[in-house]
């Protein structure tokens, strides 16, 4: 009754049906390449029958392998005219799977050893006190950022309920000249500051389009000292306004 | 000059929470030549290995990283009030080994290799960032394919995916098991 | 024996997230006398101060703490800005996911989907060039519409936007928990 006692082992100790099969094969001390399929199938099924109810969700995979075993057994029983060559052996599909699985199991053992070693090495989970980052490098800003800064300013202006001064008209040409003059005089222009100085939304809009034109023509360059810092406008070196 | 570069690199590795690789060090230490940098790293690693120290520089996932030495594990666990560091479940480890040795691999392939549905353990490995999705297989249904990550390498102390236990090491284990049975 | 205690303390200070004070060290290193511990700390602090090193042990808030030396700040800043560029905040990631799965999409739609104003994280994604503006929606107010970029694909190792895991696939992986637990 040795077998019956062995079957008391819970299904849960096995990592699936291949694990159980390997266990049965090793217990019999037989080679994977020469599985006595009838015996193993009997033992495998006896093992499954230990369970009163099969939970399909959890144990469906055990049944799949059971049906594979029965299929192989039936193939083995078919009368054949000549000796089986390796490729035709109906057990091959199972043997290949067992060999692959065996390697994965062995690899898991080796990885577990590495894990054991590594868990003794402790790494820092948070950085040490770091210098405060003050990024002073100049980065060229994209048109998007420029437009966005302008947009936020316009919103603010609206909230401030600035009254619109009507009747005063600005030409693009005039504004362009004013912008260039201001750049010449100060060397650079603080984007937000400049627009804040504009008296109305219309005037600011015209100035903004002028600036876009100048950037497009590569006469001026817009730079930002770091993200979310004021955008400054400089005449582009080598470009003649 | 070289001594100072060694110190620069020491401070960089120290600040970095993930292995800092040579390329990154080079792109930061632009004042120094590649040869100088490589020599300085060599010196740095050796200075930690040769001295009696509580911490060391290890190589993992192609980079350099500080860690404590294993002999001080018990005191650190006292400090952190931990019985043991948590480890991967058996199912997760087996799934991870399957991905590592068969990558790029699909969920269906992993499940077939293990003989059980691997989706639950794959999920926990994805969440732990030990495994990642890297696209789709050009086969019917275009299933997602999975690979191990750099974090996987660091977790097991491997510098490169080629450092995984070799076929020979695996076969050796299998032979030993046969003898034991 | 004293040398080894020094290393124990070094490893403890290394893993500690906050300044490690003398009392705590004493409570962990119960095998050693107070005098031994105080001497070892002394030795440890001196060994860092006297050598050319990139890191040091400083005393702060009544405890001991590793820090980098200030003369290497400029290189550390370079590393930090390098890492900032390659890292996403949680909010940015959430916004990126919204764009990826709902593109073409407007800011109002993203904000509605996330339940918070997404303009800040969308801005950082535009700056990182993971998201781009591709025109305006033909609806009142003509809002800008956003899509992911080629850089986004490279970042996540995808060949094509169609290779993104589908909502069903992700749900399948996440749902597994309900069945098993």
């Amino acid at each position: 009754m040795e077998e019956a006692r062995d079957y008391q082992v819970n299904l849960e100790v096995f990592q699936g049906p291949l694990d159980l099969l390997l266990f049965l094969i090793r217990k019999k001390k037989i080679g994977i390449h020469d599985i006595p399929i009838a015996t193993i199938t009997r033992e495998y099924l006896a093992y499954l029958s230990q369970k009163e109810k099969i939970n399909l969700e959890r144990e469906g995979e055990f049944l799949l392998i059971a049906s594979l075993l029965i299929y192989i057994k039936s193939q083995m029983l078919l009368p054949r005219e000549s000796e089986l060559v390796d490729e035709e052996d109906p057990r091959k599909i199972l043997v290949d799977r067992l060999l692959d699985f065996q390697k994965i199991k062995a690899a898991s053992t080796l990885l577990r050893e590495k894990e054991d070693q590594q868990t003794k090495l402790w790494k820092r989970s948070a950085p040490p006190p770091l210098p405060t980052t003050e990024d002073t490098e100049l980065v060229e800003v994209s048109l998007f950022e420029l437009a966005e800064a302008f947009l936020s300013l316009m919103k603010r202006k609206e909230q401030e309920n600035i009254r619109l001064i009507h009747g005063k008209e600005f030409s693009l040409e005039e504004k362009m000249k004013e912008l260039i003059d201001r750049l010449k005089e100060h060397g650079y222009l603080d984007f937000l500051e400049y627009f804040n100085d504009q008296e109305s939304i219309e005037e600011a809009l015209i100035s903004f389009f002028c600036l876009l034109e100048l950037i497009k023509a590569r006469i001026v360059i817009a730079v930002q000292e770091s993200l979310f810092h004021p955008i400054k406008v400089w005449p582009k070196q080598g470009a003649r306004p | 000059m070289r001594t100072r570069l060694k110190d620069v690199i020491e401070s960089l590795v120290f600040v970095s929470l993930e292995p800092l690789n040579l390329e990154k060090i080079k792109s930061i230490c632009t004042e120094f030549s590649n040869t100088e940098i490589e020599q300085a790293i060599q010196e740095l690693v050796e200075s930690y290995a040769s001295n009696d120290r509580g911490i060391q520089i290890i190589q993992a996932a192609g980079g350099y990283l500080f860690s404590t030495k294993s002999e001080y594990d018990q005191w650190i666990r006292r400090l952190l009030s931990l019985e043991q560091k948590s480890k991967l479940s058996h199912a997760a480890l087996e799934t991870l080994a399957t991905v590592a040795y068969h990558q790029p691999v699909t969920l269906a392939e992993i499940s077939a290799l293990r003989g059980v549905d691997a989706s639950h353990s794959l999920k926990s490995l994805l969440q732990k960032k030990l495994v990642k999705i890297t696209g789709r297989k050009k086969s019917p249904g275009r299933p997602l394919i999975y690979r191990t990550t750099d974090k996987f390498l660091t977790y097991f102390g491997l510098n490169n995916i080629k450092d995984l236990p070799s076929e020979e090491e695996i076969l050796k284990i299998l032979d030993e098991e046969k003898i034991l049975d």
Side-chain angles (χ1 to χ4, degrees), chain A, chain B:
Chain A
M1 292 314 284
E2 193 204 325
E3 279 179 14
R5 199 184 59 230
D6 282 347
Y7 290 150
Q8 297 304 313
V9 185
N10 280 328
L11 199 59
E12 279 70 30
V13 301
F14 296 104
Q15 296 292 315
L18 297 176
D19 208 17
L20 169 59
L21 261 184
L22 270 186
F23 167 77
L24 294 175
I25 290 165
R26 283 197 189 149
K27 195 161 69 85
K28 288 267 157 216
K29 299 195 198 314
I30 45 177
I32 283 186
H33 292 278
D34 194 27
I35 304 168
I37 209 80
T39 317
I40 289 295
T41 304
R42 195 171 59 242
E43 295 213 352
Y44 186 90
L45 293 177
Y47 192 91
L48 280 199
S49 66
Q50 293 283 309
K51 294 289 263 186
E52 285 181 7
K53 261 194 211 159
I54 293 284
N55 176 350
L56 269 185
E57 200 69 66
R58 281 172 176 271
E59 283 130 25
E61 291 127 351
F62 283 88
L63 292 182
L64 263 177
I65 293 294
S67 56
L68 178 65
L69 283 170
I70 292 165
Y71 169 78
I72 295 170
K73 199 175 122 189
S74 68
Q75 291 293 303
M76 297 288 283
L77 292 173
L78 286 181
R80 293 185 194 267
E81 287 176 355
S82 57
E83 278 281 290
L84 281 175
V85 282
D86 236 17
E87 280 306 304
E88 289 167 343
D89 191 331
R91 292 175 297 182
K92 187 174 184 302
I93 179 173
L94 185 65
V95 170
D96 286 349
R97 286 189 69 175
L98 283 173
L99 286 174
D100 273 338
F101 180 70
Q102 204 177 223
K103 279 188 197 165
I104 287 166
K105 265 195 81 169
S108 302
T109 311
L110 289 167
L111 285 178
R112 182 69 87 193
E113 282 170 16
K114 290 197 180 294
E115 186 188 36
D116 288 343
Q117 291 161 10
Q118 289 300 312
T119 47
K120 291 199 178 95
L121 307 184
W122 295 81
K123 288 124 192 171
R124 297 178 73 98
S125 52
L130 298 170
T132 49
T133 42
E134 280 174 70
D135 199 354
T136 47
E137 254 176 81
L138 298 178
V139 289
E140 197 164 344
V141 294
S142 71
L143 220 53
F144 158 74
E145 287 155 319
L146 199 64
E148 192 194 33
F150 176 70
L151 209 78
S152 70
L153 178 81
M154 288 296 98
K155 254 192 222 156
R156 212 161 58 217
K157 274 208 176 263
E158 244 169 304
Q159 280 161 358
E160 283 166 7
N161 237 341
I162 280 195
R163 116 195 104 85
L164 301 181
I165 301 163
H166 293 285
K168 204 175 170 186
E169 290 201 352
F170 305 91
S171 71
L172 260 169
E173 215 174 316
E174 265 177 56
K175 266 288 157 199
M176 190 93 77
K177 195 172 170 301
E178 188 192 304
L179 250 169
I180 291 168
D181 284 347
R182 197 158 159 159
L183 275 171
K184 272 185 189 159
E185 196 182 323
H186 299 280
Y188 74 95
L189 190 128
D190 186 307
F191 183 66
L192 288 182
E193 213 173 79
Y194 177 70
F195 285 101
N196 261 324
D197 289 348
Q198 307 297 309
E199 282 177 34
S200 68
I201 290 182
E202 284 98 326
E203 190 182 351
L205 266 172
I206 291 171
S207 309
F208 179 66
F209 289 127
C210 287
L211 193 57
L212 284 186
E213 283 302 317
L214 290 174
I215 290 171
K216 251 167 72 182
R218 303 208 145 262
I219 291 167
V220 299
I221 184 171
V223 291
Q224 196 175 22
E225 278 178 22
S226 68
L227 298 179
F228 316 121
H229 275 217
I231 293 172
K232 287 181 179 172
V233 179
W234 306 73
K236 202 170 164 81
Q237 263 171 348
R240 278 176 52 88
Chain B
M1 200 60 173
R2 205 191 306 149
T3 317
R4 191 156 157 260
L5 174 57
K6 176 176 92 45
D7 299 347
V8 170
I9 297 170
E10 183 178 26
S11 70
L12 289 174
V13 174
F14 191 81
V15 163
S16 187
L17 296 181
E18 279 149 35
L20 189 66
N21 67 43
L22 186 60
E23 296 320 305
K24 240 186 194 163
I25 296 173
K26 283 177 182 168
S27 74
I28 293 163
C29 301
T30 44
E31 299 89 339
F32 301 93
S33 76
N34 288 354
T35 326
E36 283 175 314
I37 290 172
E38 279 156 33
Q39 273 181 0
I41 291 178
Q42 193 66 26
E43 236 178 87
L44 179 66
V45 172
E46 277 165 17
S47 83
Y48 272 92
S50 63
N51 283 314
D52 278 339
R53 303 291 303 271
I55 55 178
Q56 60 186 341
I57 292 184
I58 55 170
Q59 267 186 283
Y64 301 90
L65 186 66
F66 268 103
S67 92
T68 60
K69 288 188 178 167
S70 60
E71 49 263 55
Y72 307 117
D73 178 49
Q74 56 156 315
W75 284 283
I76 293 165
R77 282 192 281 110
R78 278 187 220 167
L79 171 69
L80 304 173
S81 320
L82 279 176
E83 278 301 310
Q84 212 195 6
K85 230 183 193 178
S86 68
K87 290 182 181 171
L88 293 173
S89 73
H90 193 102
L93 187 67
E94 210 175 274
T95 298
L96 191 53
T98 312
V99 177
Y101 283 90
H102 293 270
Q103 59 188 313
V105 69
T106 67
L107 172 60
E109 288 163 350
I110 300 166
S111 298
L113 283 158
R114 284 192 55 212
V116 295
D117 175 33
S119 50
H120 181 67
S121 50
L122 193 60
K123 176 200 160 193
S124 87
L125 294 173
L126 282 164
Q127 284 171 336
K128 289 191 167 84
K129 294 184 200 298
L130 295 170
V131 155
K132 64 183 172 189
I133 300 169
T134 60
R136 289 178 186 282
K137 196 174 175 177
K138 286 185 186 67
S139 70
R142 312 215 346 102
L144 295 170
I145 50 181
Y146 300 88
R147 280 184 187 278
T148 54
T149 59
D150 277 355
K151 204 176 162 200
F152 160 83
L153 295 176
T154 309
Y155 187 82
F156 290 102
L158 305 169
N159 198 28
N160 192 294
I161 195 72
K162 287 177 196 135
D163 295 341
L164 272 176
S166 67
E167 182 93 17
E168 289 77 45
E169 285 172 85
I170 289 170
L171 292 176
K172 212 180 126 210
I173 285 260
L174 290 176
D175 282 348
E176 280 165 13
E177 279 175 0
K178 263 181 216 149
I179 296 161
L180 281 176
D181 285 346

